[in-house]
Each structure stands twice: as C-alpha cells, then as structure tokens.
Amino acid sequence: MCGIFSFISREPSSIATVLVEGLQKITYRGYDSVGVSVLHNEEHHVIKAVGNMDQLAPLMPKKSLQAHVGIGHIRWATNGSVSLQNAHPVASKHFALVHNGIISNIDDIAPRLPKISVLKGETDSEVVVHFCEHLWSNNRSSFFSLERAVELLEGSWALAIACTKNPESLLFARKQSPLIIGEAPEGFYLASDIGSMPDTVTELTFPEDGDYGFVNTKEIIVYNNKKEVVRPTSPHVTTQQTATKGSFSSFLLKEIHEQPDVVRSILKNNVQKTESSSFTPSFAESVRIRTARMHLIACGSSYYASLLGVHWLEKIANIAASPYIASEYYWQCAEDKMCAFISQSGETADILRLFSEPLKPKAKHTMCLINSAHSSLSRLVPRVIPLYAGVERSVASTKAFLSQITTLFLLACAWGGEEGRKHIAKLETLPTLLDTLIKGSYDFLATNIPPLLDINHYIFLSAENLYPIIVEGSLKMKELSYITSTAYTFDNMPFLHIHPHSMLIIVLNKDHEPLAHEALALALQDHAPFVIVITNGPSDLIPPHCLHLETPECDHLVFPMLATPFLQMIALVVAEHRGSCIDQPRNLAKSVTVE
C-alpha cells in the first residue's frame, strides 16, 4: 500500500530530486497523496500534495536544497481521509516522519501528548511524530526518543525519521511492515520496496521485526530490545528492467504483451529441455517434499490463482488440496499438511500475520510462490519458488497472475510423477501460443467492443473448472472500470440478471458446449446488448452476432492460461471506453501491507 523512499547522502546533495526519482519507481503500488521532506539548515522543508506525482512537481523548490537527509512517501489512505494534512511526511518542531502501517494503540498514546501539541490531521502517524517530540523534550536524544516510542507503540510500522538536531543521521524502525536499507557509494537508501533502489546500490540490509536504529553518512547501527545487533547483508542485483511504456498506451497493455516471455522464463528456470523433460536442480529441490494433503493460502488475485491450482493438484497429482483466504486461515488445521503461500509481493499482511506471535506455524512443511526475491515472506519460509514475472508497473495484476497459475500447473506436474511429466509438454508450446493470441488482439477488441456506456453490470460465465479465471476476469473489470461485475458457473447462473443493460462474457471449453447453449439462448432472448464468447479453438455454436474470440487449439488443462489474456484485454478496452485511469485505478493498492 503506502511506500517509503528516503536517502542520506555522504555529501550534501540535491536530496529532493533523488527522493522524487525513487518515489516514481513505486507509484505502481497505488497511492492518493505524495510528499517529501528535506532537512536543510536545521529545518524540515516539507513539500506534499494530494493526487499523483504530477501535482508535486510544481511545488518543488526552484533552487536546489543541498542537504544530507531527506524522506519521501506515497500514501494510500487507511488511517485518516485523503487530505493534504494527512499526507506524509508529517512533522513537529524537531522531527519529520514517514510511516507505513497502523498503530493500534494510538488512543493510549495521544493522551500522553502535552496540551501544547497541535495536531493538524487525523492520522496515527502524526500522533507518533509529536510523541517523539514530547519524549525528546525530556531526554534531548532523538535515538532514545525513538527507542522509548517503539517500546510503547503497538501495531505495525516501518518508520523513517529525520531530526533537526541530527542533520547527518536518519532514524528507522520496523515491525510487521517491510523496510530495506541499501548502501551505495553516494550514501544509504531506506525504502519499503526493493524496486525503488537505484542501480548504484551494492549491498542490502533487511531489518527484522522489532529492529530500530539509525543510519549516518558512514554506517548502519541496528538495535533490538535495547541491544545492538548485526543483521546479515546480501548483494543487490539490479534487474535492468525499463520503466517506460514504449509504444504501448499503458503499462497494463505492455505487461499483457510481456506474458509469453514470463512463461518462457518459468520454463527456462524450472524445466530442462530433455527427452524426459526433467526439472532443474533448484526446482527439483523445492518440490522434493510431497504430501497427500495441501493447503494453498493467498489473498485477492493470488487466491483466485490458488483455486485453479487446487483443480490441477487434484487432477494431475492426486493431491487433496484446499484453498484458503489468508485472513481466515489458522494453523490449527495444518499439522499434517503442506502449506503453500501465494503472494506477488511477499509482503501481504494477512499472510505475514500467520508467522507472528502468538501464532506459531504448525504445518508439517511450508513453501511460498512469490515474485520478490527479497521479500519478508521469502525469509520466513524454507522453500521459495520464484514466479519470474518481473516488475509490474500497473497496479492491477496481469502477468503476475499468469505466472502464478503457470507455476501451479508446473507444481502439479512435478508432484504427479510420470503421469505429471506427460503434461509438461503442454506447457512447452504455451509461449508460442500466447504470442499468436496476444498479437493484434488488443486492436481487434478495441475496434469490435463498442463503448457501451449504459452497461451497469458485467456477467462472466463458465464451467466450474474455469471459474477461477472468470472470477479473476470479473475482478479486473471491477478494478479498471469501477462497474459492477459478477462471475457464475453455468449451473449456478441466475438468468434474471441478464437484461438490456448487462454484458455477458462466456469462457467455453469445447466439452462444455451443451451447457453454454442454454445460457447463450437466454442471453439473446433477454436482449443482452453484447455477448462475448471465448472458446478453445473454433466452434459452430456461436451465433454470428456474438463477438467470438478463439484461442489457438490446446489441451483443456492449458486453456485457462490462454483465455486469461483475452479477459484482461476485455477489461482494459472497457475501462478505456469509460475514460478510467488504467495504470493507477482509484482505491486500488498493489500490495496490502496492513490488516
């Protein structure tokens, strides 16, 4: 959700420019306000705006502020409304602060503030900065003020704090919210997202839960429970991925077109091209342990991917698998099972909650599927399976979802023994099939889907084994176009919902044509103004006045991977017709890092 990017320079430099460049890299997380603060001449120069980065640019000082310390933040409102007063950074007389997370005992902290404290906003973060100010007034030490504050606070936080009395030092603290420190020749960076780290960063330090400390121009000092600790470091390997849209109208469209290469990366890193399609050593080690029963735990789009994974694990590998939404999961039911956690960011709060006290893992084995190699989840789970989707700049997920379902299919093949290996060949042709499908499809859809602005309900329909991708397609429609959208199976479709102001999208595998025939007949009878039918290859069933989308012919088990880009592009075209913001839809966050 919110994002932190802060910098302490070894030499005085144009801090504000560096902060804006870093924040720009994490705007894909979703946000509704943005701000930076530069500590110059023992004064906090706070610049912030409601809206996106474009609103911040005109407010930046014309003359560069040369300084050692600066903090920056993009905020997605969870505590307090969207307003300039609630935007970060928040400041008191001597302290300026950026905060990700939620302080759960703020009602206990606020009464401790002296009456002279003036709160201008509604956030817990502002109470924390004034609390640090109050503690500092008693001991005149910014470090001890932070230490006392985190001792009394409850909830979750990643904090970066600047103090006017320490112009060459930056305080930090972390609990249940991601925070990374990167060292570069020019100084140190504190960020919530590794994607914001510049290429000059050579080494990464990952503070753990309960850690706090400070970074100056020379070193990182970390404490936990009033004792100095040393945290291991790891090298920073840059991805060299471009952050430009190129010739595409949006990052979302670009990332849809990148999906064939994502599948190629998955196969390259997990499958060795031999006569028997053996697995690479790293993937073979990750899937070495097999259990008869398995739980898949996830949220949002990742949860919909897990629904499809359950189908494949049962069909291909004969594993009794069950899907769970992470916020509703408890370890008590996991003692003799494998638990697989699926998270794009690896920072999903509802998943990380399961690893915190007093909850203790009781699963026999745990593993995770994540798209971020340095995430919190990757350090909590022994078996990590990368998704190889690369960075998604669009807030709504496309290629990460496809990478999840492709990897889950590969897991089912791996645990299916000899029978499973027979199915791997069905994946090896997938990148080429995706290339064929995606090329030109957007232009075709943009031309053939009319701007049906009076539509107030989108209905997605399929057989039960394709339900996970249509519920994900329905989610994309809601995320991008802000309009009501629902998904049903053929057996559970309430036909009374079909009316002249509804649009019907049917995903049809060849062996389910009889089930779809009635749905199509009723839709046309009830005057649905537009019907799209996606089929696995050609079909004689589709009436000529329906928009018929054919995927290349493929095995029914692979069909979900091919139908998914069509569903993503339909949502994209509809959203464009409605004038929606494609890459940063309102009220949508990339990674939910608070409960």
Side-chain angles (χ1 to χ4, degrees), residues 46 64 68 108 133 264 281 335 371 383 413 443 521 530 574:
V46 179
S64 173
H68 284 282
D108 297 328
E133 181 79 36
R264 289 187 180 97
E335 292 191 22
N371 196 39
R383 282 171 289 282
C413 292
D443 291 335
F530 202 69
V574 170

Side-chain angles (χ1 to χ4, degrees), residues 253 257 438-449 569 573:
L253 183 58
H257 280 76
I438 293 172
K439 187 177 180 180
S441 291
Y442 168 75
D443 291 335
F444 175 80
L445 289 169
T447 302
N448 288 278
I449 296 179
M569 283 189 281
V573 169

Side-chain angles (χ1 to χ4, degrees), residues 42 89 218 260 291 420 558:
E42 294 193 7
K218 297 179 181 179
T291 60
V558 177

